[in-house]
Amino acid sequence: MLYDLRRADIRIKWLVTGLLATLGLSYVFGAVMVALYAGFTPQRVAATYAGPEMSMAMPPETTVVVQRPMAMADFAKPEVHTVDSALLIQDTHVHVPMYGLIAAALGVVVVGLSVSRRWALGLIVLLFAAPWLDFAGMWLTKFASPRFAIVTLAGGWAMGVAYLIVTALAIHQMWLSRERS
Amino acid sequence: MSFLIRATAIAALLHITPVVVLVKRPAAVQTLLPGADAYVAREVHLSATDAHRLHEGVDWSPEDGVLVFYGGTAGSTSVGALEFVRVDTPHGPIEVAVGFTPQGAVRGVVVTKATIEMKPWVLEAVAAGLTDYYRGLKPGGEAPRGAAGIASRAGNLATYVAGEVDKGVARALAAYGAFYNHVRA
């Protein structure tokens, strides 16, 4: 094959290694950010994206007031980070193009791997399906059912797994394989 | 390739940084409702008509159509009320706490949250005396002009974020004026 990472020029190998290392760093901090702002359980993801919009879709016919006493300790309770529709639109607009570029960059690495055509196609599909699942899950959680939080989790894990597979294969084939040159 | 580089740069520039707490809510409550020893949360669930009226007035719809005011009392005496108002900007959200005296004038304003990107702008604006410009404002009176007030002694970004704080204060004034005392629990 014309483009084979095992036999690629050393400059290409370092370029791919640098790309994978940098993406890996961003993925680690991405995971930390998810832990801080949304969480890794379906319940926490649902609380972040479904929010109270699920429970009160229609405004009352006349404005009503509900009063309840509060203690100072209530103000200190940790707030659940929520993402409303406006912020989700903004997040989708900002993140999806970046995810597309990352999937494309990793897809270019996949094309240079020595794997069967079927495996390569599977990896490319996984790379692009992951962000679709991620954001589809967020939108479905907000507007269909909190149960779809599991789709967002699946998307996030798929992103991580796809990255790890591509990175492991690329590093092995470029730097460790007997067939490298 | 140049398209990829440009697209990456644009995506990076547009990335919204996470929100950080600048002042914790209990601290803001103590500042804006000084001496209060009891609190009540007053949730105003707006009808479609009232929500529309508020939106027309200050270009704002509160989250889930619910305004939340926190009233404070010291013994049997009212200390005032406060509101936390979120303002969405192209750089992410900020949250502004606006406190009112029992007479309905602004007692003080505290910026409680901002994104990491906007935090230094907020700190610069506050250091330039931004919140002094809101004290004493009343619903239906003069519009908040903090940004104009600090423009001569703060940078462009601090002045920009002050304009967003102005919006938050304007929203709090409109909500307080129309709904705090005029809807019975």
Side-chain angles (χ1 to χ4, degrees), chain B residues 11-164:
Chain B
L13 282 171
L14 287 172
H15 191 84
I16 306 294
T17 53
V19 174
V20 287
V21 174
L22 303 179
V23 178
K24 288 184 176 170
R25 282 193 165 196
V29 171
Q30 281 170 338
T31 303
L32 299 174
L33 298 175
D37 53 23
Y39 305 93
V40 63
R42 188 177 168 87
E43 292 177 0
V44 182
H45 296 255
L46 297 174
S47 66
T49 313
D50 282 340
H52 181 70
R53 188 157 56 99
L54 185 63
H55 187 84
E56 290 284 294
V58 283
D59 188 25
W60 174 54
S61 301
E63 206 168 318
D64 309 317
V66 181
L67 294 167
V68 184
F69 301 97
Y70 299 96
T73 50
S76 58
T77 310
S78 170
V79 176
L82 74 84
E83 256 184 287
F84 293 96
V85 177
R86 187 176 120 172
V87 182
D88 286 313
T89 80
H91 300 270
I94 58 170
E95 184 186 75
V96 181
V98 182
F100 294 90
T101 63
Q103 293 74 36
V106 172
R107 171 181 280 129
V109 172
V110 177
V111 183
T112 49
K113 290 179 190 168
T115 59
I116 290 170
E117 181 190 21
M118 288 194 286
K119 181 180 171 180
W121 313 344
V122 171
L123 296 180
E124 185 186 342
V126 171
L130 172 67
T131 55
D132 298 340
Y133 288 92
Y134 305 123
R135 215 161 285 139
L137 291 177
K138 283 193 163 182
E142 204 183 322
R145 297 195 194 285
I150 66 163
S152 62
R153 54 181 185 284
N156 288 342
L157 293 170
T159 306
Y160 160 77
V161 87
E164 300 299 323

Side-chain angles (χ1 to χ4, degrees), chain A residues 106-161:
Chain A
L106 290 173
V108 170
V109 175
V110 169
V111 172
L113 292 175
S114 178
V115 291
S116 70
R117 187 174 288 260
R118 185 182 289 185
W119 256 97
L121 282 172
L123 276 173
I124 290 169
V125 168
L126 184 63
L127 285 167
F128 282 95
W132 277 88
L133 285 173
D134 195 30
F135 275 89
M138 293 176 202
W139 282 100
L140 289 168
T141 301
K142 179 161 288 301
F143 291 110
S145 163
R147 290 179 184 177
F148 283 106
I150 197 80
V151 178
T152 285
L153 286 171
W157 283 109
M159 232 181 278
V161 167

Side-chain angles (χ1 to χ4, degrees), chain A residues 45-173:
Chain A
V45 173
T48 302
Y49 292 100
E53 285 175 41
M54 293 300 293
S55 57
M56 190 169 177
M58 293 295 290
E61 280 191 21
T62 57
T63 294
V64 291
V65 176
V66 180
Q67 280 199 173
R68 59 187 161 86
M70 282 191 74
M72 179 54 89
D74 295 329
F75 289 105
K77 278 184 183 165
E79 291 171 63
V80 177
H81 175 73
T82 57
V83 176
D84 62 15
S85 307
L87 193 55
L88 188 52
I89 290 169
Q90 199 174 36
D91 275 353
T92 308
H93 164 69
V94 171
H95 283 89
V96 168
M98 183 57 92
Y99 282 159
L101 290 171
I102 291 171
L106 290 173
V108 170
V109 175
V110 169
V111 172
L113 292 175
S114 178
V115 291
S116 70
R117 187 174 288 260
R118 185 182 289 185
W119 256 97
L121 282 172
L123 276 173
I124 290 169
V125 168
L126 184 63
L127 285 167
F128 282 95
W132 277 88
L133 285 173
D134 195 30
F135 275 89
M138 293 176 202
W139 282 100
L140 289 168
T141 301
K142 179 161 288 301
F143 291 110
S145 163
R147 290 179 184 177
F148 283 106
I150 197 80
V151 178
T152 285
L153 286 171
W157 283 109
M159 232 181 278
V161 167
Y163 166 79
L164 287 175
I165 292 172
V166 173
T167 301
L169 288 172
I171 296 297
H172 180 263
Q173 292 189 8

